[in-house]
Amino acid sequence: MSIALVPTMGNLHAGHLELVRLGRRLADRCLVTIFVNPLQFGEGEDLASYPRTFEADRDKLRAVEADMLFAPSVEEVYPNGRSAQTRVEVPELSDLLCGASRSGHFVGVATVVCKLFNMAQPDLAVFGEKDYQQLLVIRRMVADLALPVKIVGMATAREPDGLARSSRNSYLNKAEREIAPRLYQTLQNTAQAIAAGENDLDSLETSAQATLRASGFRPDYYSVRRAADLMPPESADRELVVLAAAWLGRTRLIDNLRVTGKSMD
Ligand code: PAF
């Protein structure tokens, strides 16, 4: 019997439920984990205020017929305490972009995902592409450690106005919620320019950041990278991804868009 794992931190939205539906299609049983992983939150981040909505999450999982729910306590996952916990580090890839502004974040992610894999022994695991860097970090970890789990990425689930679905969208106030879709619109504009042959990526990034600032965002990064490994593209690279993280009030939004460029040769 095959098992699909959908790891989450709860506060489930329609995007998570799509991951569960995909997990159910791909395996005989779909196991969902809910664990707000303290190891992936930095100092001053939203660990304490991260929405914990267990009953509502459980009901949503019942409605989509998830087969199993595992919601361990911090003590179950880190019985020796957090500071003594053995960690999994995916170097380089973890230090870029989100990793540059959230020091230690991807060590926390890789460690907990590796541990959940060992606890649940799934055949495959499903992750959303909204967290594109996280998906690549997990794929690299699985390859480097020869973990017997197939990693399945799923296209970003979006609200009707284009905003990527995220548990943190609930932090946005009404005015911010109206502005928020402009992040995706900006990514689309950049992607369209690249697809049309624009190859001055620096100036695309600079003007996108200015557009975001003018809309009220505080960009953390806005960068066009090689889709395979998030390195700066070389002239022959065509498979690219535009990635952004930007603050809107107290909410840090991330999003990305894949694009095939015209050859820069
Ligand atoms: O994407 C998330 O919700 C988390 O980073 C994950 C993969 C569940 C690990 O805690």
Side-chain angles (χ1 to χ4, degrees), residues 15-208:
H16 290 116
L17 303 182
E18 285 304 315
L19 300 178
V20 175
R21 288 193 187 94
L22 180 59
R24 290 192 69 228
R25 284 201 296 279
L26 296 177
D28 299 322
R29 295 283 184 275
C30 183
L31 163 64
V32 180
T33 60
I34 296 180
F35 179 62
V36 182
N37 173 32
L39 221 56
Q40 69 188 73
F41 288 79
E43 229 157 86
E45 292 190 350
D46 56 346
L47 173 62
S49 59
Y50 198 86
R52 283 142 170 105
T53 54
F54 181 76
E55 276 80 20
D57 291 344
R58 188 194 49 202
D59 293 348
K60 287 177 189 172
L61 291 173
R62 277 197 184 123
V64 293
E65 298 179 34
D67 297 288
M68 293 165 280
L69 168 60
F70 179 45
S73 65
V74 174
E75 291 69 30
E76 269 174 281
V77 178
Y78 303 125
N80 297 319
R82 274 184 260 163
S83 51
Q85 170 65 38
T86 301
R87 280 149 213 261
V88 178
E89 185 186 357
V90 177
E92 297 178 4
L93 194 49
S94 296
D95 303 328
L96 319 164
L97 304 170
C98 281
S101 33
R102 302 188 67 192
S103 174
H105 171 66
F106 289 115
V107 171
V109 170
T111 300
V112 80
V113 170
C114 184
K115 180 127 192 184
L116 292 172
F117 285 175
N118 285 330
M119 291 167 110
Q121 304 273 305
D123 298 278
L124 63 97
V126 189
F127 295 87
E129 288 177 359
K130 184 190 71 97
D131 298 293
Y132 189 78
Q133 186 174 7
Q134 167 173 285
L135 179 61
L136 292 197
V137 165
I138 291 166
R139 283 193 199 282
R140 181 78 60 81
M141 169 186 80
V142 163
D144 285 355
L145 300 180
L147 300 178
V149 184
K150 180 178 175 200
I151 303 302
V152 178
M154 185 169 176
T156 302
R158 298 189 179 278
E159 303 287 350
D161 60 11
L163 177 66
R165 293 189 195 270
S166 164
S167 300
R168 290 189 169 99
N169 290 352
S170 60
Y171 297 165
L172 297 168
N173 65 29
K174 196 163 172 290
E176 290 163 351
R177 176 64 189 80
E178 278 169 23
I179 295 168
R182 294 190 206 167
L183 182 60
Y184 181 52
Q185 288 157 13
T186 308
L187 292 173
Q188 285 178 305
N189 290 341
T190 305
Q192 276 162 15
I194 293 170
E198 176 59 64
N199 58 17
D200 184 350
L201 302 182
D202 286 348
S203 89
L204 284 177
E205 290 168 358
T206 306
S207 77

